[in-house]
Amino acid sequence: MSAAKPVRVGEGVVASTIGLPKPAARQRAAVSWWGDVWRRFRRQRVSLAAAVVLVAIGLLALTAPIVAPRDPAEQFRREGLSAVGEPLPPNARFWLGTDGLGRDLFSRLLWGGRISLTIGVSATAIVLATALAVGGVAGFAGDTTGFLLMRLVDLMISVPQLFVMLLLVVVLQPGIWVVVLVVALFGWPYPARVFRSQILSLKEADFVLAARSVGVGERRIFLRHVLPHLLPLVTVYFALSMPGVIFAEASLSFLGLGVPPPTPSWGSMIQDGLQYYRAAPWLVLFPGLAITLAVVSFNLVASGLREAMDPAQRGR
Amino acid sequence: MIGYICRRLLWIAITLFGVSLLTFGMLFAGPTDAAQALSGARAQAASVELLRERLGLDRPVHEQYLTYLGGLVRGDLGESFYFGSPVAEALRERFPATAQLALTIFVLAVALGVPLGVVSAMRRGGVLDRGLMIAGLVAISIPSFLFGLLLLYAFAFRLRLFPVGGYGDPAHLVLPALTVALPWSAWYGIVLRSNMLDAASLDFARTAAAKGVGPWAVAWRHLLPNALLTVVTMLGMDLAGLLTGLALVEYVFGWPGIGWQALQAAQRFDVPMIMGSVLFGALLIGLANLVVDLVYGWLDPRVRIS
């Protein structure tokens, strides 16, 4: 580098090598990693819109007891059914119409979302915790334990999931928490595999070597040094796991083996509506649209998060 | 090669053993008394006991499991609680319908998905490309039973183009096959597209273009085979999920396959039938995975060596 070349502000490295103060480095306010992710996420309009939709759905589900115009279980036998006893189409009084028992579909949709999302979020939390535990143990424990755990993952992946879920639900008898557990049972193997391979590569990092060389124990290395680096991946997998979990709950409820009546969930509402499908297709359509909207949004948010957290992956 | 196949078959056998152990364990860990559930809540205690004895449910768990395992080795899956007939026979009877539907879906999905992926990779940013992106997103976001119900409403109830459900002539096959094949082809089309775009920047693609090979020939002869590899891998991972989709679609359209049979069995507390379906499904997934891996080795000579 020639000495005649003028040193411009902003060329921090050059400036410091020739002993000048670094003026540019302090001008940009410190941005946290999550702040940076948010900045990149915000720029993807479609994913941002999906996130807004999810927040709206979540708020509606949370506030269902206040927002819902009617009790979801109340049967309006006279004003909620047509003269021949059929469900009413959407109208001014019942915004999305009524179901076969004269119940307000809009209120049931809000309450159903509350149940479906509660199941979804709890099952996903169990999925991620299990996947982290299995992936962590498989990555940190000896080869034999790791090998056995990964064979268990292989076993779980090559099993006809729906059939096993049915078997479990039938044996344990349908109930909300049974559904949560059964649905979570098949969510963890794939994330566990991904987490493990990430952990294996993190284990080789210099900061792990540094920690180990000053005498930090394996458990503490995992919890304090490796786990924080998994956080982005875990966040993405939260959004990626929700669709599968919502589908599984909807499928079980659709078969009449999920959330027991009269509690509405999006899946069980579709099952209820099936009886009047030909005369009143909106009974199936509205809960179906709710499921699809939620799942589309989760998928979009997941892809937006992935790009925001790992810009090198853009466009894949 | 033979050794590899034998090792894989052994692994399938181990998987089946593991699955049988797990499912049997679940059955007995659960709080439900099968004899009671089958006789109904108002049945008399004596008749429940009689049923328990007749089904062999009064014997110790390990003894029941060994009996079941002994039968399993000989291809005997026990008797259905509901029909009283052998489960293996019911599976054999229903399997052709499932195989017919699955093969139709596979052929349709490949026939639609491959051209979709290739054309949208070549016409990047075009109408078809954007349409495929949206279709693929919706395809992975809509439950298969819901998509089936929508097709049923539009094409069977409204337009009356196809029968509402059932089995027999080709017209019955159209809607259930499309229910799974359409989303599947859109999703794999997207994967194919992005893999082809990745491969397009590699040296061999540039070399081919520099030699004077036309863009479509490069895409078809050089990019597609490479892009297909990843799709084949994905297929192996998705098989279990596809079986789930297939079962739900059979249920929606009343297609008499093993999926519908298993779902009905679940609603009737027919435990041996569900267990048989679980094991048979695991066997199918294992064999299909083996085929996928063999095809992969055939497509990619690099894999064959190691």
Side-chain angles (χ1 to χ4, degrees), chain B residues 125-156:
Chain B
V127 180
L128 184 78
D129 191 25
R130 283 185 205 176
L132 182 69
M133 281 306 196
I134 296 171
L137 178 67
V138 174
I140 56 166
S141 305
I142 192 165
S144 62
F145 60 86
L146 180 68
F147 190 52
L149 286 173
L150 293 180
L151 289 184
L152 190 67
Y153 187 80
F155 294 101

Side-chain angles (χ1 to χ4, degrees), chain A:
Chain A
M1 192 165 296
S2 72
K5 190 180 176 189
V7 174
R8 269 185 291 134
V9 176
E11 289 186 274
V13 182
V14 179
S16 62
T17 48
I18 55 172
L20 293 173
K22 315 182 277 183
R26 294 197 190 89
Q27 280 180 1
R28 188 176 167 225
V31 176
S32 72
W33 189 77
W34 285 105
D36 218 30
V37 166
W38 167 237
R39 192 171 53 80
R40 282 194 294 260
F41 184 82
R42 208 172 43 184
R43 264 192 241 137
Q44 305 172 65
R45 296 228 193 103
V46 181
S47 296
L48 187 66
V52 172
V53 169
L54 280 186
V55 170
I57 294 178
L59 281 179
L60 282 177
L62 270 180
T63 57
I66 309 162
V67 177
R70 293 183 182 80
D71 182 338
E74 192 178 350
Q75 304 180 2
F76 297 90
R77 291 275 168 117
R78 256 184 313 138
E79 60 274 54
L81 293 171
S82 72
V84 289
E86 281 189 340
L88 291 182
N91 56 57
R93 181 134 184 236
F94 302 98
W95 294 347
L96 296 182
T98 56
D99 74 358
L101 294 173
R103 294 176 293 196
D104 181 35
L105 201 68
F106 180 61
S107 306
R108 285 183 72 72
L109 202 64
L110 294 181
W111 280 87
R114 199 176 153 87
I115 297 293
S116 287
L117 290 179
T118 306
I119 293 177
V121 171
S122 345
T124 305
I126 297 178
V127 161
L128 292 178
T130 316
L132 270 179
V134 172
V137 171
F140 264 82
D143 286 345
T144 321
T145 320
F147 176 81
L148 286 179
L149 279 173
M150 285 306 108
R151 293 296 80 73
L152 179 66
V153 166
D154 288 345
L155 185 77
M156 295 299 290
I157 286 176
S158 58
V159 149
Q161 302 172 358
L162 184 67
F163 295 174
V164 180
M165 283 190 203
L166 292 176
L167 188 67
L168 274 177
V169 171
V170 165
V171 169
L172 298 175
Q173 291 166 350
I176 290 184
W177 293 107
V178 169
V179 173
V180 169
L181 284 178
V182 167
V183 161
L185 183 68
F186 284 102
W188 65 267
Y190 190 65
R193 192 186 262 179
V194 177
F195 292 164
R196 171 179 167 266
S197 70
Q198 187 74 16
I199 287 170
L200 284 181
S201 73
L202 281 172
K203 244 173 85 176
E204 303 300 318
D206 286 342
F207 63 84
V208 171
L209 187 67
R212 192 169 288 144
S213 64
V214 295
V216 181
E218 291 293 297
R219 182 193 303 260
R220 197 178 154 84
I221 287 181
F222 176 65
L223 292 177
R224 299 298 299 271
H225 297 267
V226 171
L227 207 54
H229 283 269
L230 281 175
L231 212 54
L233 205 57
V234 173
T235 317
V236 170
Y237 268 87
F238 180 82
L240 273 182
S241 299
M242 282 298 285
V245 164
I246 292 178
F247 276 0
E249 183 274 323
S251 306
L252 285 178
S253 298
F254 170 69
L255 296 168
L257 293 165
V259 180
T263 314
S265 86
W266 287 338
S268 70
M269 287 175 69
I270 295 182
Q271 198 233 354
D272 285 346
L274 220 48
Q275 210 180 333
Y276 298 92
Y277 186 37
R278 220 170 158 159
W282 61 88
L283 292 184
V284 167
L285 192 65
F286 289 134
L289 281 179
I291 295 175
T292 310
L293 185 66
V295 172
V296 164
S297 307
F298 274 115
N299 280 327
L300 285 172
V301 167
S303 83
L305 276 177
R306 202 160 23 184
E307 282 197 12
M309 289 176 171
D310 191 0
Q313 287 282 317
R314 177 151 303 159
R316 295 205 179 204

